[in-house]
Amino acid sequence: MKKDNLYFPRKIETARLILKKVSAGDVKYSREILAAIKKSVSVQKEFCPWSKNENLETIEAYIRSALKRWKKCDRLLYFIFDKKTKHFLGEVSLHSFVKWNKTAEIGYWLT
């Protein structure tokens, strides 16, 4: 299993899911990500106020920003896919790292 900074794997597989580190190639999922956000905006608007203003350009910018933040070890973003269908299901990230006590916060959203 290939690993990146902080010893986090690029890909995590379970029996049903694939969690894949964000990559430059993920721009190809922009339409699917946008559709997932739009589908769940009524639920997300309370917790993710940004979701109501999303478009393809902001999704692509988000992916580029996530890549930069991974390199800085500021936020580690994984996209979640159904292993069987390969459909985008959401994302999970580790962020707000506190090095002295080795903790981080987990954020996620699912379609």
Side-chain angles (χ1 to χ4, degrees), residues 22-34:
V22 66
S23 69
D26 290 335
V27 170
K28 67 184 173 192
Y29 299 114
S30 295
R31 289 189 189 284
E32 194 173 353
I33 294 167
L34 182 60

Side-chain angles (χ1 to χ4, degrees), residues 4-8 21-22 62-77 94-99:
D4 274 333
N5 52 355
L6 299 175
Y7 305 101
F8 286 95
K21 172 196 165 195
V22 66
Y62 174 68
I63 292 169
R64 287 190 300 274
S65 172
L67 286 167
K68 290 177 187 172
R69 292 183 74 182
W70 184 288
K71 288 178 184 172
K72 294 191 307 187
C73 298
D74 179 53
R75 180 172 183 253
L76 306 179
L77 175 66
L94 295 170
H95 56 92
S96 302
F97 292 95
V98 180
K99 291 181 182 180

Side-chain angles (χ1 to χ4, degrees), residues 83-101:
K83 193 171 191 174
K84 193 176 196 179
T85 66
K86 307 294 189 235
H87 286 127
F88 175 81
L89 300 176
E91 67 177 48
V92 62
S93 67
L94 295 170
H95 56 92
S96 302
F97 292 95
V98 180
K99 291 181 182 180
W100 67 270
N101 67 354

Side-chain angles (χ1 to χ4, degrees), residues 10-72:
R10 295 179 185 172
K11 188 179 191 181
I12 301 168
E13 290 191 45
T14 70
R16 298 179 308 162
L17 302 173
I18 296 173
L19 282 69
K20 189 179 98 34
K21 172 196 165 195
V22 66
S23 69
D26 290 335
V27 170
K28 67 184 173 192
Y29 299 114
S30 295
R31 289 189 189 284
E32 194 173 353
I33 294 167
L34 182 60
I37 290 169
K38 298 294 182 188
K39 179 180 167 186
S40 59
V41 73
S42 62
V43 175
Q44 287 189 16
K45 67 182 176 187
E46 181 180 349
F47 305 103
C48 306
W50 50 264
S51 63
K52 63 184 177 211
N53 299 318
E54 291 299 312
N55 58 52
L56 286 175
E57 292 78 26
T58 59
I59 297 294
E60 291 169 6
Y62 174 68
I63 292 169
R64 287 190 300 274
S65 172
L67 286 167
K68 290 177 187 172
R69 292 183 74 182
W70 184 288
K71 288 178 184 172
K72 294 191 307 187

